[in-house]
């Protein structure tokens, strides 16, 4: 019994030591793996995660009013936005405007409030020029006299609407830009409502963006599927040559390809001359600066992104499946449609997702080949970034595009998980 007990204890000790060594070895492997991927993780964090986080943060930032008028905002927090304003609110506004320098802060405040009420910019500028408020002896006015002097400067300060605009934007964070990107806004009391019909534009732009992207995706699928199938049936040498021909435009600059389509699609271009010489048309077709030119160019540019996933899936499908279906009595087309096509669903899904996501972010092609009614969301992102310098609206529109992309990824991931056999 003693010998057996000693043997059991030795075995237990040996087993425990082996387990500790195994855990230590696994920990070393994990540490080495983490060290190897650390540079990539840091790179992605700095180049991808941080900019996207800054974009999403800027989409909900509303610092112009809160930063420029802190005393006024503090006074208006106690105001119910319906009763008469206290004299202290006028005194706080005068103090804030006096402290502001005639520079970026004042300009940002005027622009932001002018979005709320047209003409607010001139009101802020006119009142700021009159600061500080002093009496005839050169002494600062007491708070109880500031109300009358400010209303004397501009009677609009007696209108509660202008004070509600300040109170509504007193927080440094608000959904203003996100709501504006969806053609909605907050009223003076914070309730969400639709914007005026003549100011609604962005939902139409988003709808146009998705429609154009869907049409381009469908066109790329209709053109790319038979081409990918044909390439997959070739021997290796001819398939490689065909893929090189497919990828040559892929390696060319988008701007160069768009410029080439401008030359081809113009009234006296190669396309119209060919159609007229063949008798298909009697007059040049309008293929530039409209939706047709956008569809043609975007489909051509994005076609390789559809062909590559389709070809990679089709190449892995054994041709014996279709022959077996035909040998069992199936019609060749039925065998193709019911046996071959379902096996290409992963390639169709991947290609369609890739083309659609790339399409919704397109800017150069619609800007150069489309008309005013063909511009997509990215055009307005560039407009707010480069022209009006409205980072809030640019980030809100970009954030909504990012959200749409993530939703598409989630839908595709759920679809592929729900059909593992495909």
């Amino acid at each position: 019994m003693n010998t057996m007990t000693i043997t059991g204890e030795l075995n237990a000790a040996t087993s425990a030591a082996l387990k500790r060594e195994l855990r230590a070895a696994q920990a070393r492997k994990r540490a080495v793996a983490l060290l190897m991927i650390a540079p990539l993780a840091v790179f992605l964090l700095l180049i991808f995660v941080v900019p996207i986080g800054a974009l999403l943060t800027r989409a909900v930032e509303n610092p112009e009013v809160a930063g420029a008028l802190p005393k006024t905002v503090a006074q208006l927090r106690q105001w119910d936005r319906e009763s008469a304003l206290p004299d202290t609110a006028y005194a706080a506004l005068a103090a804030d405007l006096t402290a502001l320098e005639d520079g970026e802060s004042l300009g940002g405040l005027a622009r932001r409030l002018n979005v709320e009420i047209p003409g607010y910019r001139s009101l802020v500028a006119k009142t700021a020029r009159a600061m500080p408020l002093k009496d005839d002896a050169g002494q600062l006015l007491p708070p109880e006299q500031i109300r009358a002097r400010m209303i004397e400067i501009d009677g609009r300060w007696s209108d509660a609407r202008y004070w509600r605009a300040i109170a509504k934007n007193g927080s440094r964070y608000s959904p203003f830009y996100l709501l504006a990107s969806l053609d909605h806004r907050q009223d003076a009391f914070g309730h969400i409502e639709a914007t005026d019909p003549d100011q609604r534009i962005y939902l139409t732009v988003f709808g146009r963006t998705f429609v154009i992207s869907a049409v381009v995706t469908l066109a790329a699928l209709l053109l790319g599927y038979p081409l990918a199938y044909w390439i997959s049936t070739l021997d290796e040498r001819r398939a490689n040559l065909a893929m090189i021909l497919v990828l040559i435009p892929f390696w060319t600059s988008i701007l160069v390809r768009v410029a080439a389509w401008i030359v081809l699609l113009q009234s006296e271009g190669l396309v119209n001359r060919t159609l007229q010489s063949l008798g298909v048309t009697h007059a040049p077709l309008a293929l530039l600066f409209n939706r047709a030119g956008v569809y043609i160019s975007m489909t051509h540019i994005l076609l390789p992104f559809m062909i590559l996933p389709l070809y990679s899936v089709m190449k892995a499908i054994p041709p014996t499946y279709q022959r077996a279906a035909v040998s069992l009595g199936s019609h060749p087309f039925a065998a193709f449609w019911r046996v071959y096509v379902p096996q290409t669903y992963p390639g169709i899904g991947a290609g369609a997702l890739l083309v659609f996501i790339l399409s919704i972010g397109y800017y150069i092609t619609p800007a150069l080949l489309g008309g005013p009614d063909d511009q997509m969301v990215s055009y307005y992102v560039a407009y707010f970034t480069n022209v009006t310098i409205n980072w809030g609206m640019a980030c809100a529109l970009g954030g909504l595009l990012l959200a749409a992309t993530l939703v598409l990824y989630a839908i595709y991931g759920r679809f592929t998980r729900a059909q593992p056999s495909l």
Side-chain angles (χ1 to χ4, degrees):
M1 290 295 296
N2 292 336
T3 303
M4 294 178 62
T5 301
I6 294 173
T7 303
E9 291 178 352
L10 289 174
N11 291 335
T14 304
S15 177
L18 289 174
K19 289 180 179 179
R20 286 196 298 271
E21 292 180 4
L22 180 60
R23 285 196 295 268
Q26 291 176 343
R28 286 194 297 271
K29 288 182 180 180
R30 284 195 296 267
V32 172
L34 289 175
L35 288 176
M36 292 179 65
I37 67 172
L40 177 60
V42 172
F43 176 81
L44 291 177
L45 178 66
L46 296 178
I47 304 300
F48 186 72
V49 178
V50 172
I52 289 180
L55 179 145
L56 296 177
T57 302
R58 190 64 186 87
V60 295
E61 280 185 340
N62 190 30
E64 293 87 356
V65 176
L69 305 176
K71 297 179 181 178
T72 308
V73 169
Q75 288 293 326
L76 294 179
R77 287 198 183 101
Q78 308 301 324
W79 181 44
D80 61 4
R81 305 188 188 184
E82 291 183 342
S83 60
L85 278 160
D87 292 339
T88 53
Y90 285 88
L93 179 60
D96 285 333
L97 291 179
T98 301
L100 278 179
E101 297 182 359
D102 188 11
E104 183 177 351
S105 297
L106 181 60
L109 171 67
R111 286 193 302 269
R112 180 64 187 84
L113 292 176
N114 198 72
V115 174
E116 297 290 337
I117 303 177
Y120 217 135
R121 185 197 303 266
S122 62
L123 174 60
V124 171
K126 180 180 179 180
T127 308
R129 285 195 299 268
M131 296 295 129
L133 298 180
K134 298 181 179 180
D135 57 17
D136 295 337
Q139 300 296 321
L140 292 176
L141 291 177
E144 59 271 12
Q145 298 181 19
I146 291 178
R147 175 197 291 265
R149 179 63 68 85
M150 290 188 65
I151 295 176
E152 181 183 345
I153 294 171
D154 197 303
R156 286 176 288 182
W157 287 121
S158 62
D159 190 342
R161 292 185 305 122
Y162 292 87
W163 293 94
R164 292 189 190 114
I166 297 176
K168 186 177 72 173
N169 293 281
S171 174
R172 298 188 68 88
Y173 297 93
S174 77
F176 172 79
Y177 293 114
L178 291 174
L179 291 175
S181 300
L182 297 172
D183 291 335
H184 282 71
R185 65 185 179 187
Q186 288 180 305
D187 62 13
F189 300 95
H191 304 134
I192 297 176
E193 62 181 11
T195 57
D196 297 332
D198 57 345
Q199 296 179 348
R200 297 172 190 172
I201 177 176
Y202 298 112
L203 287 180
T204 302
V205 172
F206 274 106
R208 179 193 308 152
T209 299
F210 291 127
V211 168
I212 292 176
S213 301
V215 172
V216 170
T217 302
L218 181 60
L221 178 61
L222 294 177
L223 293 174
Y225 195 96
L227 181 57
Y229 175 74
W230 175 71
I231 296 175
S232 67
T233 61
L234 299 176
D235 58 71
E236 185 176 355
R237 176 175 171 277
R238 289 188 294 175
N240 290 337
L241 178 60
M243 289 303 298
I244 291 174
L245 296 178
V246 169
L247 293 175
I248 285 177
F250 183 75
W251 295 326
T252 307
S253 168
I254 293 179
L255 189 59
V256 172
R257 283 181 279 177
V258 171
W261 278 113
I262 292 176
V263 175
L264 292 172
L265 297 177
Q266 61 184 327
S267 299
E268 299 300 324
L270 179 62
V271 174
N272 272 310
R273 286 192 175 184
T274 302
L275 293 176
Q276 287 178 290
S277 64
L278 295 176
V280 178
T281 60
H282 301 288
L285 297 177
L287 300 176
L288 272 183
F289 312 120
N290 53 30
R291 195 68 59 87
V294 174
Y295 286 148
I296 293 172
S297 181
M298 287 183 64
T299 301
H300 168 253
I301 293 172
L302 295 173
L303 189 59
F305 293 97
M306 180 65 74
I307 294 175
L308 290 175
L310 286 172
Y311 173 73
S312 64
V313 171
M314 291 177 176
K315 195 66 177 175
I317 299 175
T320 54
Y321 289 176
Q322 282 184 267
R323 291 199 294 266
V326 172
S327 66
L328 293 173
S330 173
H331 189 275
F333 179 78
F336 175 80
W337 184 255
R338 300 180 64 180
V339 175
Y340 186 83
V341 172
Q343 297 181 81
T344 63
Y345 284 166
I348 294 174
L353 180 69
L354 187 59
V355 171
F356 189 87
I357 289 176
L358 292 174
S359 296
I360 61 177
Y362 253 52
Y363 166 65
I364 294 178
T365 304
L368 295 181
L369 292 175
D373 295 331
D374 303 314
Q375 302 308 314
M376 301 165 70
V377 174
S378 54
Y379 171 86
Y380 293 90
V381 173
Y383 172 79
F384 285 118
T385 301
N386 301 321
V387 179
T388 63
I389 319 299
N390 188 340
W391 289 97
M393 279 300 297
C395 292
L397 292 171
L400 290 176
L401 273 184
L402 174 63
T405 302
L406 295 178
V407 169
L408 289 173
Y409 272 121
I411 293 174
Y412 176 72
R414 185 169 183 177
F415 176 79
T416 53
R417 286 195 301 270
Q419 303 186 41
S421 61
L422 299 181

